[in-house]
Amino acid sequence: MVRLYNLHPFGSQQVVPCKLEPERFCGGGRDALFVAAGCKVEAFAVSGQELCQQRCAFSTLGRVLRLAYSEAGDYLVAIEEKNKATFLRAYVNWRSKRTENSRVCIRMVGHNVEAPFSETFRDQMSILEMPLSETPLCISCCPVKGDLLVGCTNKLVLFSLKYQVINEEFSVLDFERSLIIHIDSITPVEISFCVGYVAVMSDLEVLILKLESDPKNGESVTHHPRKTNNPMKQAEGISDETLQLEPDDFVICQKPMELLGEKSEQSGVSVTLELTGLADEKIKYFHVQHLLYRRFAPDISSYVLSDDIKLHSLQLLPIYQTGSLTSDRKKSSQEKELLSLFCFFSLPHVGYLYMIVKSVELMSVYQYPERSQQAVLTPQFLHVITSNNLQCFTVRCSAAAAREEDPYVDTTLKTCPPVSLDVCALRIQLFIGLKAICHFKNHVILLTKADPESIPERRESPKRLLSRKGTSVNLKAPPVAEAGWNLYIVNTISPVQLYKEMIDYSNIYKTAKTQSCIHLLSEAHLLVRAALMDTSQLEPGEKAELLEAFRESCGHLGDCYSRLDTQHSHLALPYYKMSGLSMAEVLARVDWTVENGSQKYERGLIFYINHSLYENLDEELSEELAAKVVQMFHVAEPKQLPHILCSPSMKNIDPLTAISYLRKLDTSGFSLILVTLTKAAMALKMGDLDMYRNEMKSHPEMKLVCGFILEPRLLIQQRKGQIVPTEFAVHLKETQPGLLVASVLGLQKNNKIGIEEADSFFKVLCGKDGDTIPQLLVDLWEAQLVACLPDVVLQELFFKLTSQYIWRLSKRQPPDTVPLRTSEDLINSCSHYGLISPWVNVLISSDSLADKNCMEELSKLQTLWWKKLLPELCQRIKCGGEKYQLYLSSLKETLSIVAVELELRDFLNVLPEDGTAAFFLPYLLYCSRKKSLT
């Protein structure tokens, strides 16, 4: 389906001041337009929208049959005919041809240029003769590397672009015939070449190949083509005897066929390579990969067939990913990197666009309202001419390239309109007598001739169209020039200007047709996206304007998907994210008008707001907007209301308003405990402690833990990347610390919070900085050890606990809050805590450790594994680091206490098996002498 709009992609128009009727023309580069007529080529400079001036003119050997320009190398190549012989010639350094009588250097490809002539070559145009053993039929230049591909009967010849270095300051452009591609049974009418990809087209066949530089499976290179049987003959039941019969006896009509990827090798077209370049060439092609073969059948509905039922306008279109590669700080160069590649070809009434990188697939089919004569594909549009109309269609190349560039498109963060989007005709512009078209940059070049041709085209027998065997190419010169022709340059308007017109045009569809509004906004979005993909074509300052238009288009698409009920409503989220709009700005675009006493909120808006509030956005909605959000979810998604109220973005919500909506909830369909905790949080916010206690008493503690697991943001929130305890968490710390620790432990068990996050949470909650450990965090560690959390590393946990126990013992530092578990509780509930050894009882009974807190710490410290603790502590001391002094002082203090209280034998059992004897010797000596001292 092709949608039709009436937009204005074409802007100003100017006439090319050529003197003779153009027979061939082409354009390219920044401003170059070449027009061939008779035995002469005129080069024009196209700049701006109102200026087209002749730059130079030069004579050719004969009448020009084909013409092509290469931006890489800045050369023009032509197939010329003189005295019924054809020649292939390249025109180099043509910009230095200032007058028609200026001297021209003619040289043969591959011949070395002598150094004394370097200055001559620098200042004059050179013509390179390219001899071929067969007649050249068509040509194509690689837009990236400038290599030249020439089509001949049953073969393609590749000339690699290279430079002859004359001296350090000057080099001469040259070519080397490096490869011959033999293709049996196809005579090329048009070819296209781009960085190793080759497209060949005959009257009714298209073949796309990829030349690969690495040998496949160690295969050898075919230096001479071998004749192979055509498997399609047997498949179609055609015998050799039949093929040898007279053409008047049979009409051979082959079936239409489309073969993609590896299956295209079954086409029966034999392709072999013959290397002809020098051995020191950097890149050689050894292997051919078949990508696409498509054969069309002529219309045989009537006995008399028209000779012009043929394919035309074959084109490979690359989409580049441009990046600045800087070798040093002084020089910066822009190098084009191929991102995606597309192939277009057309029948008179229908065009086909394929994507051929990574996978080969048909992207779009273009149905023309009239019979087409020629078409050109650009990254943004397809321009088609009929006899009297210039038509502009949209293309999906940028949508496909976006997915090649970023496989994570179509997520909650970013998206792009689909490749399958219906194509549309933006404009059908009247031009009388259109004959030919070409395109470069933002210029469409049109040749018109109002009067009909005086010599009608020769119609051949229908049998010729039905068999590939008799295919030939008509390179006859056009008839003698007649009056009534013009060569026009039609300038396409800037992408931003056309984008704005599309946005204005889309407004008429906002209330009429949902899909039409989304479609046109998607077209506008793709238009801007395509322009941004090739920044080399942008004027200074235009990129910033395009980026702003890109963000604006994302906002418009977000509005569509959020307000209109479609199956893709969820796309409101990524489009709004790409737009850069804040949540408040999005809500300000919502129409809050109530119709018929009820308000309806579409699922796209609900999905966006819900997902945004679940993220840790550093944005706080105003009280008014927060109240509107609560109202929205009360109507559309009531079960999400408790979660919505816990978002940091809803901090300014009026608690009375929130409680009034919470009380209206029917809790039969979802968790009552979550509603209870949310009401308790709101009661705390407005200082109503009685209401808070009543809500908290309505459920047992384990139920409350389950409620916090359902919504962790009741306790823990993040703002600007930092963990922030809620007012609820602060209150629980003072009144119900056991519930708080159990809840955080529950969050860890359910992967709602990480180990480091939990540690940070308790440090911030208790106002402890640096290495100071609050008792609530020690309580959490002990709870983790008792619960045996699977993701907790036991050795790390052991060390954290023992370090804390030792530190408190050495500093005589009591815990800042009453521990939730005693040593007896831990021994009874956790296998990691062993029975207390006798020597520990000696320490506990010591007068120096009469303090109850110290006795608890020392009790907890024992079969946390004394025999494993000291070696681990010694190892950490050896490793050094920021905590080296803390570990060392802890070890010294502990050894001093133990050496005083233990007998020598018990003290020896405590010491680790490894370590420096000099370090432990003073403690051993003291322990052995203490009896004599007493």
Side-chain angles (χ1 to χ4, degrees), residues 694-724:
N694 290 334
E695 294 293 341
M696 296 296 285
K697 289 178 182 178
S698 61
H699 296 281
E701 187 170 284
M702 287 309 299
K703 277 280 191 179
L704 296 176
V705 170
C706 294
F708 287 122
I709 293 173
L710 287 173
E711 184 46 81
R713 293 179 298 177
L714 285 166
L715 299 176
I716 304 171
Q717 296 182 353
Q718 284 195 356
R719 292 175 187 167
K720 297 182 179 179
Q722 302 295 322
I723 290 179
V724 179

Side-chain angles (χ1 to χ4, degrees), residues 329-348:
R329 294 187 177 181
K330 295 181 180 179
K331 295 181 180 180
S332 176
S333 61
Q334 291 286 332
E335 182 172 320
K336 291 182 176 181
E337 178 183 352
L338 185 67
L339 178 64
S340 195
L341 190 65
F342 305 89
C343 182
F344 175 81
F345 49 87
S346 183
L347 285 170

Side-chain angles (χ1 to χ4, degrees), residues 3-11 381 383 390-394 423-430 492-509 516-517 519-525 527:
R3 297 170 179 262
L4 179 62
Y5 298 110
N6 189 25
L7 300 172
H8 301 82
F10 306 120
F381 302 113
H383 299 291
L390 168 63
Q391 303 174 4
C392 177
F393 296 89
T394 58
V423 298
C424 69
L426 295 184
R427 184 76 177 176
I428 298 180
Q429 186 75 39
L430 178 64
T492 56
I493 66 174
S494 69
V496 172
Q497 186 177 348
L498 182 56
Y499 160 79
K500 291 178 179 178
E501 184 180 354
M502 286 181 167
I503 296 301
D504 293 339
Y505 197 92
S506 69
N507 291 330
I508 65 174
Y509 291 107
S516 293
C517 182
H519 183 274
L520 190 52
L521 288 174
S522 298
E523 295 288 4
H525 178 87
L527 172 70

Side-chain angles (χ1 to χ4, degrees), residues 266-284:
Q266 304 171 11
S267 64
V269 178
S270 175
V271 180
T272 55
L273 301 184
E274 178 184 352
L275 294 178
T276 59
L278 299 177
D280 60 350
E281 187 182 352
K282 292 183 179 179
I283 297 180
K284 289 183 179 294

Side-chain angles (χ1 to χ4, degrees), residues 230-296:
N230 189 334
M232 292 303 297
K233 296 177 183 177
Q234 284 76 19
E236 297 173 3
I238 303 174
S239 66
D240 292 336
E241 181 180 357
T242 302
L243 293 176
Q244 293 173 0
L245 295 176
E246 292 297 324
D248 292 336
D249 295 333
F250 289 92
V251 174
I252 302 171
C253 181
Q254 295 181 333
K255 296 180 180 179
M257 178 184 298
E258 181 188 45
L259 299 174
L260 305 179
E262 295 180 355
K263 292 183 178 180
S264 61
E265 295 186 18
Q266 304 171 11
S267 64
V269 178
S270 175
V271 180
T272 55
L273 301 184
E274 178 184 352
L275 294 178
T276 59
L278 299 177
D280 60 350
E281 187 182 352
K282 292 183 179 179
I283 297 180
K284 289 183 179 294
Y285 296 112
F286 295 97
H287 174 68
V288 174
Q289 179 184 355
H290 292 246
L291 299 178
L292 170 69
Y293 174 78
R294 183 150 188 180
R295 181 175 65 212
F296 296 89

Side-chain angles (χ1 to χ4, degrees), residues 540-612:
E542 192 177 3
K543 183 176 180 180
E545 194 176 9
L546 279 171
L547 286 172
E548 179 60 31
F550 178 83
R551 288 188 290 267
E552 183 186 80
S553 73
C554 292
H556 288 311
L557 282 168
D559 291 343
C560 264
Y561 285 110
S562 68
R563 298 172 189 175
L564 304 174
D565 190 13
T566 73
Q567 60 177 340
H568 302 295
S569 297
H570 62 281
L571 294 176
L573 175 62
Y575 276 121
Y576 274 142
K577 282 184 177 293
M578 294 161 64
S579 72
L581 293 171
S582 66
M583 197 167 20
E585 290 171 328
V586 171
L587 290 172
R589 299 158 77 107
V590 176
D591 183 8
W592 301 97
T593 305
V594 177
E595 296 181 3
N596 301 324
S598 64
Q599 180 73 46
K600 182 181 179 182
Y601 302 100
E602 298 298 346
R603 55 184 176 176
L605 180 62
I606 295 295
F607 182 80
Y608 163 74
I609 297 296
N610 193 19
H611 200 284
S612 299

Side-chain angles (χ1 to χ4, degrees), residues 154-434:
N154 296 336
K155 70 171 62 173
L156 306 176
V157 182
L158 177 61
F159 290 88
S160 297
L161 179 66
K162 67 175 188 177
Y163 291 87
Q164 288 189 30
V165 178
I166 305 300
N167 52 49
E168 294 181 355
E169 298 180 354
F170 181 60
S171 59
V172 175
L173 184 146
D174 200 1
F175 293 91
E176 177 186 359
R177 191 175 70 167
S178 58
L179 180 70
I180 297 177
I181 308 170
H182 296 271
I183 305 179
D184 291 346
S185 307
I186 287 186
T187 299
V189 175
E190 292 184 29
I191 58 175
S192 187
F193 182 60
C194 181
V195 285
Y197 289 87
V198 177
V200 187
M201 186 180 78
S202 65
D203 285 344
L204 291 172
E205 292 173 289
V206 174
L207 176 66
I208 302 179
L209 309 169
K210 181 182 180 184
L211 303 177
E212 297 181 336
S213 57
D214 296 326
K216 185 177 182 182
N217 300 326
E219 66 182 43
S220 60
V221 182
T222 304
H223 289 274
H224 298 285
R226 52 186 174 85
K227 297 297 181 180
T228 58
N229 292 328
N230 189 334
M232 292 303 297
K233 296 177 183 177
Q234 284 76 19
E236 297 173 3
I238 303 174
S239 66
D240 292 336
E241 181 180 357
T242 302
L243 293 176
Q244 293 173 0
L245 295 176
E246 292 297 324
D248 292 336
D249 295 333
F250 289 92
V251 174
I252 302 171
C253 181
Q254 295 181 333
K255 296 180 180 179
M257 178 184 298
E258 181 188 45
L259 299 174
L260 305 179
E262 295 180 355
K263 292 183 178 180
S264 61
E265 295 186 18
Q266 304 171 11
S267 64
V269 178
S270 175
V271 180
T272 55
L273 301 184
E274 178 184 352
L275 294 178
T276 59
L278 299 177
D280 60 350
E281 187 182 352
K282 292 183 179 179
I283 297 180
K284 289 183 179 294
Y285 296 112
F286 295 97
H287 174 68
V288 174
Q289 179 184 355
H290 292 246
L291 299 178
L292 170 69
Y293 174 78
R294 183 150 188 180
R295 181 175 65 212
F296 296 89
D299 184 8
I300 57 174
S301 58
S302 60
Y303 179 77
V304 179
L305 300 180
S306 174
D307 186 33
D308 53 2
I309 306 293
K310 298 178 181 178
L311 290 166
H312 64 76
S313 305
L314 176 69
Q315 183 180 348
L316 288 176
L317 176 73
I319 299 291
Y320 303 111
Q321 189 173 30
T322 56
S324 179
L325 303 177
T326 306
S327 57
D328 52 44
R329 294 187 177 181
K330 295 181 180 179
K331 295 181 180 180
S332 176
S333 61
Q334 291 286 332
E335 182 172 320
K336 291 182 176 181
E337 178 183 352
L338 185 67
L339 178 64
S340 195
L341 190 65
F342 305 89
C343 182
F344 175 81
F345 49 87
S346 183
L347 285 170
H349 286 95
V350 59
Y352 301 90
L353 179 60
Y354 283 85
M355 180 172 62
I356 59 174
V357 169
K358 292 187 179 178
S359 63
V360 181
E361 59 181 291
L362 179 63
M363 283 177 48
S364 303
V365 176
Y366 294 87
Q367 300 286 347
Y368 312 135
E370 300 178 27
R371 182 185 187 85
S372 66
Q373 298 184 169
Q374 197 177 351
V376 289
L377 180 68
T378 76
Q380 297 170 335
F381 302 113
L382 173 68
H383 299 291
V384 182
I385 59 169
T386 65
S387 59
N388 293 314
N389 286 316
L390 168 63
Q391 303 174 4
C392 177
F393 296 89
T394 58
V395 295
R396 303 287 162 257
C397 297
S398 59
R403 287 169 171 80
E404 292 291 329
E405 183 179 29
D406 188 354
Y408 297 102
V409 166
D410 297 334
T411 62
T412 58
L413 295 177
K414 46 198 164 186
T415 188
C416 181
V419 175
S420 59
L421 197 69
D422 289 342
V423 298
C424 69
L426 295 184
R427 184 76 177 176
I428 298 180
Q429 186 75 39
L430 178 64
F431 275 92
I432 303 299
L434 283 168

